[in-house]
Amino acid sequence: QVQLVESGGGLVQAGDSLRLSCVASGGTFSSYAMGWFRQAPGKEREFVARLTRDGFRTFYADSVKGRFTISRDNAKNTMYLQMNSLKPEDTAVYYCAADKSDSLVGIYVEAYDYWGQGTQVTISS
């Protein structure tokens, strides 16, 4: 069974930066497309960023484009989300996810097969 573990969340002020990581085990990391989602209290889980399994193609939600960067290191079985210029509206639990099929609809929750437990990101004003 594939296990994903997020880390790197915390409490920071608006304008600061955080770097999230997601370590995978129990599967072949290099065969998965990977994504980041976030969920605020009372809201639906929403797409943040996606990276294809070859690491060469990225997709971002409009709300984070230009501020967040997704990347992966297959040798370390790890995916990252660099978050800069953070805003209070970025506050949420952030989840990493793996798509074993490299779906053409990778901005949707239903495209992903494995999920981590999430890490809390809180941005104060």
Side-chain angles (χ1 to χ4, degrees), residues 43-87:
K43 298 183 66 176
E44 298 280 353
R45 189 168 299 187
E46 67 174 348
F47 170 76
V48 175
R50 178 179 173 88
L51 182 64
T52 54
R53 64 182 183 179
D54 60 15
F56 296 133
R57 194 174 182 189
T58 59
F59 304 87
Y60 296 95
D62 289 342
S63 59
V64 307
K65 192 172 184 179
R67 298 188 297 119
F68 291 10
T69 303
I70 188 172
S71 62
R72 66 192 297 163
D73 186 341
N74 286 345
K76 297 181 179 180
N77 289 348
T78 302
M79 176 180 63
Y80 305 95
L81 184 68
Q82 178 66 46
M83 305 186 294
N84 299 327
S85 301
L86 285 162
K87 305 175 180 179

Side-chain angles (χ1 to χ4, degrees), residues 1-4 23-29 32 77 114:
Q1 184 175 356
V2 174
Q3 183 179 28
L4 305 174
V23 179
S25 62
T28 305
F29 180 75
Y32 310 141
N77 289 348
Y114 310 107

